[in-house]
Amino acid sequence: MNRFNFQVFKRFWAIAKLYWFGNEKKGAWTLLGLLFILLIAYTLLSVKLTEEQGNIISSLSAKSPERFWTTIKIFLGILIVYVPLFAGFNYVQYRLGNYWRRWLTQNFLGRYFSNRAFYELGNFNTNIDNPDQRISEDIKGFTQDSLVFLLVIINSIFQVAAFSFVLWKISPNLVWLLVGYALVGTIFATGVFGKKLVKVNFDQLKKEANFRFGLVRIRENSESIAFYQGENQENNKLKQIFHEVFENFNLLILWQELYFGLFVNTYEFIPYIIPAIVVAPSVFDGTFEVGKVTEAQIAFARVFASLNIIVSRFQSLTAFVAGIDRLSSLDEYLNRLEHKTTRRERPTIDTVEDGRLAIQRLTLQTPNYQKTLVRNLSFALEPRTGLLIMGSSGCGKSSLLRAIAGLWNSGTGVITRPHLAQMLFLPQKPYMILGTLRNQLIYPQAELSIEDQQLYHVLEQVNLADLADRFGGLNAEQDWGDVLSLGEQQRLAFARILINKPKYTILDEATSALDLKNEENLYNHLKKSETTFISVGHRSTLLKYHKLVLKIENSEQWQLEQVT
């Protein structure tokens, strides 16, 4: 169990230290210091409120109106200070948690998009599921709950110190009895329920995320499913995924609500009668006033709650630990990509940045090295020359483009290419970003100084002259992937070439949804530009727009020819 706790703390600290020793550490530690000051202040006031509660009961028992009203005034005076202190404490706590979440989210997003980690996670890594949930929800839980648990622990230390003094004045036996009782309960809870609840909570997070991902996938592919009439199959699949959610949640509530609930309810109610039993003899013989019983019960409850934080918060603690495990595995994976060494266990393709595009003795394999797609491929592409790659499905045409883009590096040989900023890749299914029509046109650039008239002219060139007017202008925001047909999306993506003017353009069946007239129009504009381009396609009509054709066969063979 000690090893288990150490591993949890080690994973927690690996993530937490990023913020607390990062570039916002001064502000973070200042707010944390303010929290400690507020915590000490309202803890001391809590002790005073407890004493006055006992005095209220004692004044009533003694039938002393003057003492009673004096105590009420003192109590209300303390309360006037106590309430805003407590509210301010909660406000600063959540404000600090929100700052922490912002910083950590930006840190993870930065690493998620560097080294194309998002691509590797989405295509090659099957161990880390739902990175979107880990970045959005697990980071939120991590930052908020970390502060809650930290401050609860600190508060518990203050509460134990302050109220133990009150208890000790009433009866030292109450203090020793309380410490022993809390210690036994904590050991029993962590030993019997610890690992089981962490695992079940971890599985629940994973299965809930899988179910949510399945629903999103249906929404994104609704038209294809409707065409195939695949709703029954999708319905059954989602029911199967939800059945796993349902069964795991049944297991969770069995352990968390029934087994653990039985223990907690018994364990936490017994301390209500212990102070009365211990103090009662002193009240009966006149040593203490009746109010001392109330004072002892309140102080005992405060100290017990402080010593009992692991048991009382065990359910949320196990969910928190499960979240740490999910976030830690993502953090470790991103770190490995960020600091990966140059040592190679398997051969990889060398990439050389230069102002030209050439391939030398390239043998390209799938990322798992189980299949060779093409062997000893070599060619050099002259500036402003078009190369068409053809071949049967599955022969490796698109895979070659992935290798040029640096997405795949499994194999041997050398790829010489310009910096990726000088290249533009157009896939068969264009990526439509969230944003305005202007954002779509200038993508992948975020800011580009270009006149509206020029954008309208480009839309006219790609036969989308009415697009801006149809949706309300260049600043109109739509779900463009939903409101535009695939053919319109391909023409809109093609407009990005004319606007961004890349040195090299790579087109992966980028006109497959277009009629021949529109295809001819786009390629004519492409040939007039300064770009050098590589196309992947099946249509023989594409040959006339290119000077070279590379034919790839399924037998790892290839042939490079001049287009006549």
Side-chain angles (χ1 to χ4, degrees):
M1 190 67 190
N2 290 334
R3 182 177 179 275
F4 169 71
N5 290 333
F6 177 74
Q7 287 296 327
V8 170
F9 178 78
K10 185 178 178 182
R11 290 170 183 167
F12 165 80
W13 182 241
I15 301 171
K17 69 181 181 182
L18 298 173
Y19 176 67
W20 293 99
F21 293 97
N23 57 357
E24 291 187 9
K25 61 183 178 182
K26 288 185 179 180
W29 285 103
T30 299
L31 286 178
L32 189 61
L34 177 59
L35 280 174
F36 284 169
I37 293 172
L38 293 172
L39 191 60
I40 293 171
Y42 91 67
T43 300
L44 294 176
L45 290 177
S46 296
V47 174
K48 190 62 180 173
L49 282 174
T50 300
E51 292 177 353
E52 297 307 321
Q53 283 178 280
N55 287 333
I56 290 173
I57 301 300
S58 294
S59 63
L60 290 172
S61 177
K63 299 180 180 180
S64 173
E66 183 180 350
R67 180 183 174 187
F68 173 78
W69 289 112
T70 300
T71 305
I72 291 294
K73 290 176 182 177
I74 295 173
F75 184 89
L76 291 175
I78 296 171
L79 202 62
I80 290 172
V81 180
Y82 178 86
V83 170
L85 271 178
F86 187 76
F89 173 81
N90 285 333
Y91 171 77
V92 175
Q93 174 186 323
Y94 282 102
R95 189 70 178 263
L96 177 56
N98 207 28
Y99 284 137
W100 189 1
R101 181 191 179 188
R102 179 187 65 180
W103 189 94
L104 198 59
T105 299
Q106 291 174 348
N107 177 275
F108 268 80
L109 284 176
R111 290 184 291 153
Y112 185 59
F113 285 103
S114 67
N115 301 306
R116 289 173 171 168
F118 67 95
Y119 179 80
E120 292 208 18
L121 274 169
N123 291 274
F124 306 135
N125 190 290
T126 57
N127 296 322
I128 298 178
D129 59 277
N130 302 293
D132 52 314
Q133 184 205 35
R134 299 183 190 222
I135 293 175
S136 62
E137 295 184 20
D138 291 344
I139 285 180
K140 178 184 177 182
F142 177 85
T143 53
Q144 295 291 353
D145 292 345
S146 292
L147 279 177
V148 169
F149 287 123
L150 171 65
L151 294 170
V152 162
I153 291 170
I154 301 299
N155 183 41
S156 297
I157 294 172
F158 291 157
Q159 297 269 1
V160 168
F163 285 100
S164 290
F165 180 72
V166 175
L167 279 180
W168 189 270
K169 289 193 299 183
I170 298 173
S171 173
N173 291 333
L174 277 175
V175 178
W176 296 118
L177 184 63
L178 184 56
V179 171
Y181 186 78
L183 186 62
V184 170
T186 300
I187 293 173
F188 181 82
T190 53
V192 174
F193 300 102
K195 286 188 177 181
K196 182 65 178 180
L197 278 175
V198 169
K199 182 183 183 305
V200 177
N201 271 289
F202 180 90
D203 290 342
Q204 190 66 26
L205 286 171
K206 179 178 179 179
K207 294 178 189 302
E208 293 279 8
N210 289 340
F211 181 59
R212 185 168 52 252
F213 175 77
L215 290 170
V216 171
R217 182 178 164 275
I218 298 299
R219 185 186 66 193
E220 292 178 345
N221 297 277
S222 58
E223 186 174 76
S224 298
I225 295 169
F227 272 126
Y228 279 112
Q229 301 179 55
E231 49 268 25
N232 288 335
Q233 183 175 341
E234 298 296 337
N235 184 21
N236 292 333
K237 180 63 177 177
L238 278 176
K239 285 180 179 178
Q240 179 184 342
I241 296 173
F242 180 75
H243 180 72
E244 295 180 7
V245 175
F246 174 79
E247 290 297 328
N248 195 80
F249 191 72
N250 273 341
L251 184 62
L252 178 63
I253 59 178
L254 176 68
W255 276 88
Q256 189 166 278
E257 304 301 329
L258 182 59
Y259 297 157
F260 188 66
L262 286 171
F263 165 71
V264 168
N265 288 330
T266 304
Y267 177 68
E268 291 188 345
F269 273 99
I270 290 178
Y272 282 100
I273 62 172
I274 292 178
I277 294 172
V278 173
V279 179
S282 297
V283 174
F284 291 147
D285 64 18
T287 305
F288 287 147
E289 295 178 310
V290 175
K292 282 296 178 183
V293 176
T294 301
E295 188 176 340
Q297 285 178 321
I298 295 172
F300 193 90
R302 288 296 189 99
V303 177
F304 176 71
S306 300
L307 293 174
N308 192 44
I309 55 172
I310 293 180
V311 175
S312 62
R313 294 179 177 268
F314 202 73
Q315 297 175 9
S316 56
L317 187 61
T318 51
F320 176 60
V321 171
I324 290 176
D325 194 35
R326 288 172 54 79
L327 203 55
S328 175
S329 59
L330 177 59
D331 178 61
E332 290 171 0
Y333 181 81
L334 294 176
N335 283 339
R336 283 197 301 271
L337 288 182
E338 193 173 17
H339 303 104
K340 57 185 176 183
T341 63
T342 56
R343 182 178 62 87
R344 300 171 179 175
E345 296 179 358
R346 290 183 173 180
T348 55
I349 299 165
D350 293 323
T351 301
V352 178
E353 284 192 6
D354 196 5
R356 61 194 181 92
L357 185 57
I359 290 177
Q360 296 172 296
R361 301 188 62 80
L362 175 68
T363 295
L364 180 61
Q365 296 175 283
T366 54
N368 56 14
Y369 290 87
Q370 292 182 355
K371 182 181 179 182
T372 300
L373 301 172
V374 65
R375 190 179 297 276
N376 292 326
L377 173 63
S378 297
F379 68 82
L381 197 58
E382 295 297 325
R384 300 188 65 179
T385 300
L387 169 68
L388 176 62
I389 303 175
M390 303 185 77
S392 58
S393 297
C395 68
K397 303 186 299 297
S398 297
S399 301
L400 178 57
L401 303 188
R402 296 186 186 105
I404 293 173
L407 301 181
W408 285 17
N409 66 350
S410 307
T412 59
V414 179
I415 295 178
T416 302
R417 59 163 171 77
H419 190 277
L420 289 175
Q422 298 179 312
M423 307 180 74
L424 189 62
F425 291 80
L426 266 63
Q428 181 178 10
K429 180 68 172 73
Y431 175 54
M432 296 287 105
I433 66 169
L434 299 174
T436 65
L437 180 56
R438 185 191 308 276
N439 297 145
Q440 296 294 340
L441 289 167
I442 67 173
Y443 187 78
Q445 298 191 60
E447 300 289 339
L448 183 65
S449 179
I450 185 170
E451 296 291 334
D452 288 0
Q453 195 59 41
Q454 189 175 347
L455 294 178
Y456 282 116
H457 176 64
V458 170
L459 285 173
E460 186 177 348
Q461 287 180 298
V462 297
N463 199 17
L464 290 173
D466 66 332
L467 186 61
D469 293 336
R470 203 193 324 163
F471 291 101
L474 294 172
N475 294 320
E477 292 194 32
Q478 295 284 342
D479 183 354
W480 300 103
D482 185 55
V483 300
L484 299 180
S485 68
L486 180 56
E488 289 174 320
Q489 292 178 47
Q490 287 188 342
R491 279 178 278 161
L492 184 58
F494 215 97
R496 295 169 181 168
I497 303 173
L498 305 180
I499 292 170
N500 288 280
K501 298 181 173 62
K503 187 174 182 180
Y504 284 84
T505 303
I506 313 294
L507 306 101
D508 188 2
E509 300 194 51
T511 58
S512 60
L514 301 180
D515 57 80
L516 296 180
K517 185 176 180 180
N518 269 304
E519 181 180 80
E520 180 180 14
N521 174 55
L522 296 182
Y523 267 99
N524 283 335
H525 285 302
L526 188 62
K527 292 183 70 176
K528 292 175 184 176
S529 68
E530 298 292 324
T531 189
T532 303
F533 55 96
I534 297 177
S535 302
V536 167
H538 294 281
R539 292 176 179 172
S540 59
T541 52
L542 291 172
L543 287 168
K544 61 184 177 182
Y545 310 119
H546 302 80
K547 291 184 179 180
L548 296 171
V549 58
L550 173 64
K551 296 180 180 179
I552 301 177
E553 302 174 7
N554 283 321
S555 57
E556 305 174 11
Q557 301 300 311
W558 57 275
Q559 188 175 0
L560 185 65
E561 300 174 350
Q562 290 277 347
V563 177
T564 56

